[in-house]
Amino acid sequence: MKATMQTTQTLSAVSPPRARNISFAWLGVVPFFIFAILFLILPSATLLIGSVQDRQGNLTLGNFAGMFQGVTLKFVAAPSEASLLGVTFPLPFTVDFQSNSIVSAYILSMQVGIITALTGGIFGFLLAYAAVLGGLPKFVRSALLTFSGVASYFSGVPLAFAFVATLGRLGFITVLLRNYFDFDLYMTGFSVISLLGLILTYTYFQFPLMVLVITPALDGLKREWREASENLGASGAEYWRYVAFPIILPSLLGTMILLFGNSFGAVATAYALTGGNFQLATILIFRQIRGEVLQDPGLGYAVAVGMIIVMALSLALYYWLQRRSERWLRR
Amino acid sequence: MAFLELTNVSKVFGQTAAVQDFNLNVERGEFVSFLGPSGCGKTTTLRMIAGFELPTTGTVIINGNDVTFKPPQKRNTGMVFQAYALFPNMNVAENIGFGLKIARKPKDEIKKRVEEVLAIIKMDSFGNRYPYQLSGGQQQRVALARALAIQPQVLLLDEPLSALDAKIRVSLRQEIRAIQQKLGITTVYVTHDQEEALSLSDRVVVMNNAKIEQVGTPFEIYNFPNTEFTAQFVGTLNHISATVRDVANGVLAIDSQQVVTAQKLEGVSNGTAVTVSIRPERISFAEDGRKPNVLNIKVENITFLGSIVRVQVRAGDNLFLMDTFNNPFLKLPEIGDTVEITFSKEAVLVLKNGS
Amino acid sequence: MKRSTLFPWILIFLGFLYFFLPLIGTLDFSLRLVKDQITLEAYKNVLTSARFQNTFTYSFVMALWTILAGTLLITPTAYWVHLKLPHLRPLIEFVTLLTYVVPAIILVFGIIRVYSRPPLSILESELGADFLLVMGYVAMSLPAMYRSVDTGLRAMDVRTLTEAAQSLGAGWRTILAAVIFPNLRIALLSGAFITFAMVIGEFTIATFLARPAFGPYMANLGQTRPYESTALTIISLSLTWACIGVMQFLGRGTQGQIQVTR
């Protein structure tokens, strides 16, 4: 308390004679908050307000209800089958969203987000594990970190072009396989302008991010933990199962959530790769702004606000996990 | 046959020898400390007993079994680390029960054993806490409990108290000793703190430069150091230069004042310059009672250390220390006073010069 | 005792394949404008095209404005928060998080909606649109810029330096100009390079504000001129990576930081 008061005194001693004590300190951050209000909060708030208004400007939740229009949920006696991420499992109801472009777009975006978070996340984790704990020479680790730092910035339009140039019909790998291995990639049904192509492309900037985040976490595993567990009779596998993996799991999951958001909010790569024909939620908004789809503007705002909600939820989950692991690893 | 036998153990890391020709037998239930400065090889030796390092030569035998090349998992030792090394993702009970869980013990047996050990460290109600919710001292007690839970043949402690506050260090050290005596568990304790080693151990192994300097009871180590290093490292030691006056009768001169030693003088002749060592606590003021040796000194400095008062004195060019017990009625001389100090013949140890 | 390193090596090998194959593929593709021949023709076409020169210059200038605006906005704020208003830190962090929660496409959607109608209809004028573009970019690069400056401030112990300068009789202007900015130079430079790398090829905001920027030009070219657009990819990549390289070089020793890209 005393120290604070002293500081205030010394500071006011150099400030102009009349601007004393109160209010002066606030001036320093005012531009920042004006900026934030004008270019972050106001635009988001406008979308939010637009999403709960009908054409006449009356308050309504109709736009959000409209997002689900045409989706039917039927409970059936015999379990139907659903397929998510290529895994089929039984469900006690059927959902039909094919006729609703909004819900389909959201589901596609989430699929891409989840799959690339998983592929990028797992691949990135394995790479970091190999470099940090795999017993490889030191230079491998610094090389991996450097490349990851660089590759994580490779996104947007150029990334899409790079994958077309590599895996497209006339792409480098496609031609290589055809000429030297007599194998036609495109005869298998593969296309770079497909879900698989998009996933491969997104993974390119996803896995480096995982490497960058998880490497410090792996460094944080103390040697004593391993020794203590060995001393208590645990094998290497048991150490990983009971100690190391649970310790890094929150950062692992947290990072995957960031990766999910990263892919969920991306638009440039997908647009450049598929020419806007691939119905992701971001592409839907892209076309909505251009006035190509959805006649109802309120519905467009609702779609945008829906994305904000998904991002906010994922961020909240990320923070929850982050706090958990920080608490563990304090001191 | 001793319970823990280390025979001709050595460890070489690259070009440097971390441990050389280490021989030690520890009896069942004995508490042995490895004492030495950092880098003397004490921790490496402990890690070879635990199995984290393989000896370059020699054998490690625990309870008749040669475990030299066995992995740590197969040795049944209980290790306590300096930095606690509790698993942060497990609560106290899970930490303590970890070894038993790995050994596939039934759940209720684990629960019972965890409760027993928690009672031993007097933390009965802490089972559900997480390590980050505990103080350093509590964490280290849990680490001790975790090591004890598996009923190890040998308990190994690697500087377990050095990360703690001074107060907790003393109380936990007494607790460790009490638990060790109650359980009768064979214990090896690594420390660089002579007070810890002397107060805890049945025997102390003083190490320096990868080698054993001396093995003995705390009493022997403190009072009869075999080597210059032991004498230096354990306790405070004054070094005073003196000249031999009479070899036969053990008469020396410090600043041309006469001093007699009980030690037999060998390898020196009259007139040889020697170094004499005297522990500060063996010197007292002459007015409290005269002993055979009396010196006139000048008081240079007085430091109050709580239970003792440390006085720096000067005799000619020699500066040295004397300790006297504190009491409220103590009459201390002033700085600059010239007073008489006294000490016994036995207190005077003659070291060869240059050593 | 020693475990086999075969599996780690295989993983690292796969990682490096994933990293390099698209780069090699792109480079290879960009050199094949003329059938059965390695040629720099595509690069020549691109570099001599007036559209390229115009859009690139435009984006370059906008990037500079973004860096200037971002630096002027964020440095005093971060400094102030460090020195006098530490309790505002959560609020500042909330604002930087907003940029994650509101992706570029949503942000530009909102900006259009706010600034294309009264009372703030500045989108109509060229200057207004340029201004909005720069503000959008500042918002996008806000987390990276703020983190960079914040790390720099943390490393130099602002409070002590400020108080030392004050005790020597320096006024506020002198403190900022002679003490804080020079010590923050590396943090600011590395923030500037991240910003540049993010902004130079930006597509979404520029498209919807209908700006003649490099990103939309690249996307456009991709639909008609595959070889030229690949050459452009290589050019823009080299530029971006040069920035990242400079930034990583500058940032040696400072805490590792990650940047969420999109």
PDB file of all heavy atoms in Angstrom, chain B residues 30 80 170 183-184 195 235 294-295 335:
ATOM      1  N   GLU B  30      20.473 -50.371   9.623  1.00  0.00           N
ATOM      2  CA  GLU B  30      21.413 -49.284   9.890  1.00  0.00           C
ATOM      3  C   GLU B  30      21.055 -48.034   9.084  1.00  0.00           C
ATOM      4  O   GLU B  30      20.488 -48.122   8.000  1.00  0.00           O
ATOM      5  CB  GLU B  30      22.831 -49.745   9.519  1.00  0.00           C
ATOM      6  CG  GLU B  30      23.915 -48.883  10.135  1.00  0.00           C
ATOM      7  CD  GLU B  30      25.328 -49.394   9.777  1.00  0.00           C
ATOM      8  OE1 GLU B  30      25.448 -50.285   8.910  1.00  0.00           O
ATOM      9  OE2 GLU B  30      26.285 -48.894  10.357  1.00  0.00           O
ATOM     10  N   VAL B  80      13.644 -41.380  -2.219  1.00  0.00           N
ATOM     11  CA  VAL B  80      13.064 -40.060  -1.981  1.00  0.00           C
ATOM     12  C   VAL B  80      13.992 -39.040  -2.631  1.00  0.00           C
ATOM     13  O   VAL B  80      15.188 -39.046  -2.376  1.00  0.00           O
ATOM     14  CB  VAL B  80      12.923 -39.775  -0.474  1.00  0.00           C
ATOM     15  CG1 VAL B  80      12.407 -38.358  -0.249  1.00  0.00           C
ATOM     16  CG2 VAL B  80      11.991 -40.785   0.171  1.00  0.00           C
ATOM     17  N   VAL B 170      14.833 -29.139  10.228  1.00  0.00           N
ATOM     18  CA  VAL B 170      15.189 -29.765  11.497  1.00  0.00           C
ATOM     19  C   VAL B 170      14.080 -30.696  11.981  1.00  0.00           C
ATOM     20  O   VAL B 170      14.331 -31.837  12.366  1.00  0.00           O
ATOM     21  CB  VAL B 170      15.500 -28.686  12.562  1.00  0.00           C
ATOM     22  CG1 VAL B 170      15.711 -29.327  13.912  1.00  0.00           C
ATOM     23  CG2 VAL B 170      16.725 -27.898  12.140  1.00  0.00           C
ATOM     24  N   LEU B 183      10.575 -48.403  12.144  1.00  0.00           N
ATOM     25  CA  LEU B 183      10.398 -49.456  11.144  1.00  0.00           C
ATOM     26  C   LEU B 183      11.638 -50.332  11.019  1.00  0.00           C
ATOM     27  O   LEU B 183      11.594 -51.390  10.404  1.00  0.00           O
ATOM     28  CB  LEU B 183      10.075 -48.855   9.780  1.00  0.00           C
ATOM     29  CG  LEU B 183       8.842 -47.960   9.711  1.00  0.00           C
ATOM     30  CD1 LEU B 183       8.685 -47.382   8.312  1.00  0.00           C
ATOM     31  CD2 LEU B 183       7.582 -48.737  10.088  1.00  0.00           C
ATOM     32  N   GLY B 184      12.760 -49.879  11.567  1.00  0.00           N
ATOM     33  CA  GLY B 184      14.005 -50.645  11.476  1.00  0.00           C
ATOM     34  C   GLY B 184      14.468 -50.840  10.043  1.00  0.00           C
ATOM     35  O   GLY B 184      15.021 -51.877   9.688  1.00  0.00           O
ATOM     36  N   GLU B 195      25.558 -31.215   9.634  1.00  0.00           N
ATOM     37  CA  GLU B 195      24.700 -31.287  10.808  1.00  0.00           C
ATOM     38  C   GLU B 195      23.671 -32.403  10.646  1.00  0.00           C
ATOM     39  O   GLU B 195      23.414 -33.182  11.557  1.00  0.00           O
ATOM     40  CB  GLU B 195      24.018 -29.934  10.981  1.00  0.00           C
ATOM     41  CG  GLU B 195      23.429 -29.710  12.346  1.00  0.00           C
ATOM     42  CD  GLU B 195      22.755 -28.349  12.414  1.00  0.00           C
ATOM     43  OE1 GLU B 195      23.399 -27.360  12.020  1.00  0.00           O
ATOM     44  OE2 GLU B 195      21.587 -28.305  12.826  1.00  0.00           O
ATOM     45  N   GLY B 235      32.388 -29.756  10.751  1.00  0.00           N
ATOM     46  CA  GLY B 235      32.646 -28.780  11.804  1.00  0.00           C
ATOM     47  C   GLY B 235      33.511 -27.646  11.291  1.00  0.00           C
ATOM     48  O   GLY B 235      33.976 -27.655  10.156  1.00  0.00           O
ATOM     49  N   VAL B 294      47.450 -21.667  27.684  1.00  0.00           N
ATOM     50  CA  VAL B 294      46.867 -20.325  27.810  1.00  0.00           C
ATOM     51  C   VAL B 294      47.554 -19.412  26.799  1.00  0.00           C
ATOM     52  O   VAL B 294      48.771 -19.442  26.639  1.00  0.00           O
ATOM     53  CB  VAL B 294      47.051 -19.772  29.241  1.00  0.00           C
ATOM     54  CG1 VAL B 294      46.516 -18.338  29.314  1.00  0.00           C
ATOM     55  CG2 VAL B 294      46.345 -20.663  30.250  1.00  0.00           C
ATOM     56  N   LEU B 295      46.723 -18.639  26.076  1.00  0.00           N
ATOM     57  CA  LEU B 295      47.287 -17.708  25.083  1.00  0.00           C
ATOM     58  C   LEU B 295      46.755 -16.310  25.347  1.00  0.00           C
ATOM     59  O   LEU B 295      45.589 -16.133  25.712  1.00  0.00           O
ATOM     60  CB  LEU B 295      46.845 -18.101  23.663  1.00  0.00           C
ATOM     61  CG  LEU B 295      47.580 -19.202  22.919  1.00  0.00           C
ATOM     62  CD1 LEU B 295      47.004 -19.310  21.504  1.00  0.00           C
ATOM     63  CD2 LEU B 295      49.072 -18.934  22.846  1.00  0.00           C
ATOM     64  N   ILE B 335      35.499  -5.482  21.880  1.00  0.00           N
ATOM     65  CA  ILE B 335      36.387  -5.600  20.728  1.00  0.00           C
ATOM     66  C   ILE B 335      37.603  -4.722  20.961  1.00  0.00           C
ATOM     67  O   ILE B 335      37.476  -3.562  21.378  1.00  0.00           O
ATOM     68  CB  ILE B 335      35.655  -5.174  19.440  1.00  0.00           C
ATOM     69  CG1 ILE B 335      34.561  -6.198  19.123  1.00  0.00           C
ATOM     70  CG2 ILE B 335      36.617  -5.039  18.256  1.00  0.00           C
ATOM     71  CD1 ILE B 335      33.680  -5.835  17.979  1.00  0.00           C
TER      72      ILE B 335
END
